[in-house]
Amino acid sequence: MHAPRTEAAAGTRLWTRNFLLVLAAMHLYFLSFFGTFTALPLYLAGAADWEIGLVVGLQAAAAGVVRPYSGRLVDRYGRKPFQLWGALASGLALAGHALTADPYLLLPLRVLHGLAMSVFTTASLAMGADAAPPGRRGEAMGYYTMINNLAQLYGPWLGLSVATALSFTSFFLAAGLSAAAAAALGLLLREPPAVTAADPLRDPLVNRRALLPTGVFLTATIGYGAIQGFLALFAERAGLGNSGLFFIVFGGALVLVRVAAGVVSDRRGRLVVVVPGLVVAAGAMALLASSQAALFLPAAALFGAGFAMAHTGLLALTVDRAGEAQRGSALATFVLAWDVGTLLGTLGMGLVAAVAGFGGVFGLAAALPLLGVWTLLLARGPRGAAGQRTGWSRS
C-alpha cells in the first residue's frame, strides 16, 4: 500500500523544481512532435495521398485507443515511469523513421509513437497538476498549455528547415534526440508516493467526474478539427488570404491568453473564463462562415483567444473535480475530447461540407460552443467553498 500523495496546496509556491522540469520536458517532447507536421508528409511524397493520410493519422488513432487506460495506469503505478518510458519510446519511434520512407514499414512506428505519446502526455499533465497548489491550478495549466503552444509556433518551421537544409534522416534523428532529452529531464523529477488506485483494468473506461468538462470542450475541438481539415481549401476557394497567416495569428493568440486566463480562473472562478471563451470562439467561427477576407485574420485572433480561455479553464476544472487517486484518469478522459473532436471535425464535417459547403461547416462550428455554454449553465452547482473557485460543485 502506498502512502497518500500530499497536495501541493500545503503551500502557494508554483515555480518548484518539479514544475519547471515538467514544463521543459513537455516543450522538448512537443517540439519533436510538431516538427513532423511539415517534414513527414514531404518525406512520404512518393506515396499515394491515402497512404500519406493513413501514416499520419494512425499515430493519433493509436493514442486515442490507449488513452483511457493510460490514465488509470498512471494513477495506479505512478507518473514518473510512464513519463520516462513514453518519451524514450517516442524517441525510438521517431529515429526509426530515418530507416525507411516506405509507408507500410512506417505503420508499426506510428503505432508505437501514438501509444507512447498517450502515456507520456497523461503522465506529464498529471505530474504538472500534482505540482501546482490548488489556489494556482488555473495559472499552472495556463503555463503548461502555453509551453506546448510555443513549440507549435516554431516546431513545424524548424522541422522543415532541418529536413530541407540537411536531410530527412537528420530531422528524424534530431526529433528522436529531442524526445530522449525529455526523458532525461524526467529522470530528475521527484514523485511523491502515489495513492493506490483501483485495478486499472476494471475501472470504467472514462472518468465520470471529467465528463462535464470533456463534453463541453468537445464543442470547441470540433471547430478546431474543421480548421485543421478544411481551412486551407476554404481560404483558397473563397479568396480569404494566406491560410498560413491564420495559423500564426491563431497560435500567437493562444500563447498570449493562456496564462492570463488561468490566473483569472483561479481568482474569479472557472466559469468566468470558460463561458466568455466559448462565446468568443463561436463568434470567430461565425466570422469565418461569412467568407469575408477582411474578417479572416480577426477570426484567427478571436478563435485563438476564445479557445485558450475555454481550454485552460476546463482543464483546471477537470483537475478540480478529480480526486488525487483518479487525477490521471480524469485528465486522460479530458484529452479524449481532442481525439474525438479532431475525428468529428474532419470526417464528420466533411459530410457537412459535401451538403452545405465550407460556409455550412463553419456555421455549424459556430453553434456548437453555444451548446457548450448552455450545458455549463444547466450543470452549474451550488456556490459553496469549491463552487466559489470553480463555478461548479465538485460532486
Side-chain angles (χ1 to χ4, degrees):
M1 178 73 70
H2 295 287
R5 181 186 286 110
T6 57
E7 280 274 19
T12 59
R13 186 182 173 200
L14 175 61
W15 294 102
T16 60
R17 177 177 181 271
N18 257 25
F19 189 67
L20 289 169
L21 285 171
V22 168
L23 292 183
M26 286 297 294
H27 187 73
L28 288 171
Y29 184 89
F30 274 97
L31 186 61
S32 71
F33 171 67
F34 287 125
T36 65
F37 279 29
T38 49
L40 182 58
L42 292 178
Y43 187 54
L44 297 169
D49 289 346
W50 70 269
E51 290 175 324
I52 296 173
L54 176 63
V55 172
V56 173
L58 189 60
Q59 188 258 0
V65 168
V66 79
R67 199 178 301 281
Y69 297 99
S70 71
R72 291 180 290 166
L73 290 168
V74 162
D75 284 334
R76 183 167 179 84
Y77 300 111
R79 304 5 176 160
K80 185 173 179 177
F82 292 97
Q83 194 270 356
L84 172 62
W85 293 112
L88 281 177
S90 295
L92 289 173
L94 287 167
H97 283 55
L99 299 175
T100 179
D102 186 311
Y104 297 100
L105 294 179
L106 287 174
L107 294 181
L109 294 174
R110 300 301 291 166
V111 171
L112 175 61
H113 191 198
L115 299 179
M117 186 173 189
S118 180
V119 296
F120 173 85
T121 53
T122 300
S124 296
L125 184 54
M127 182 77 82
D130 292 339
R136 300 182 68 181
R137 192 170 282 154
E139 181 183 359
M141 294 300 99
Y143 280 114
Y144 178 91
T145 50
M146 183 194 74
I147 207 73
N148 296 339
N149 291 146
L150 283 173
Q152 187 176 4
L153 271 179
Y154 76 95
W157 167 83
L158 182 61
L160 184 60
S161 297
V162 172
T164 54
L166 300 176
S167 65
F168 285 107
T169 296
S170 298
F171 163 73
F172 286 117
L173 292 177
L177 285 173
S178 185
L185 291 177
L187 286 172
L188 303 177
L189 287 168
R190 298 171 182 167
E191 182 177 14
V195 175
T196 299
D199 187 340
L201 299 181
R202 293 184 179 180
D203 286 353
L205 279 177
V206 296
N207 186 297
R208 69 177 184 86
R209 289 180 176 269
L211 286 178
L212 173 62
T214 301
V216 172
F217 186 44
L218 181 62
T219 67
T221 59
I222 293 173
Y224 184 91
I227 285 176
Q228 283 186 307
F230 305 112
L231 182 77
L233 284 174
F234 179 48
E236 179 180 335
R237 294 177 185 177
L240 299 181
N242 186 338
S243 60
L245 289 177
F246 183 99
F247 288 106
I248 291 174
V249 173
F250 169 69
L254 284 175
V255 170
L256 292 174
V257 172
R258 287 286 193 190
V259 176
V263 171
V264 172
S265 78
D266 287 334
R267 296 177 181 176
R268 303 293 300 276
R270 312 305 185 207
L271 199 71
V272 173
V273 297
V274 174
V275 169
L278 290 172
V279 171
V280 170
M285 291 292 98
L287 292 182
L288 276 180
S290 71
S291 302
Q292 299 295 314
L295 300 177
F296 188 56
L297 294 183
L302 288 173
F303 190 67
F307 195 90
M309 293 167 67
H311 182 214
T312 303
L314 289 168
L315 183 57
L317 176 65
T318 301
V319 180
D320 292 337
R321 292 170 66 88
E324 285 187 81
Q326 296 184 343
R327 188 168 286 163
S329 173
L331 289 168
T333 297
F334 181 77
V335 176
L336 275 174
W338 280 110
D339 304 316
V340 177
T342 299
L343 183 65
L344 293 176
T346 52
L347 296 182
M349 287 296 197
L351 299 176
V352 175
V355 176
F358 291 135
V361 166
F362 293 110
L364 178 56
L368 290 174
L370 300 180
L371 177 61
V373 171
W374 179 74
T375 302
L376 286 178
L377 294 179
L378 283 182
R380 189 181 185 191
R383 300 290 300 273
Q388 288 176 0
R389 184 175 72 250
T390 67
W392 294 274
S393 67
R394 292 171 64 131
S395 60

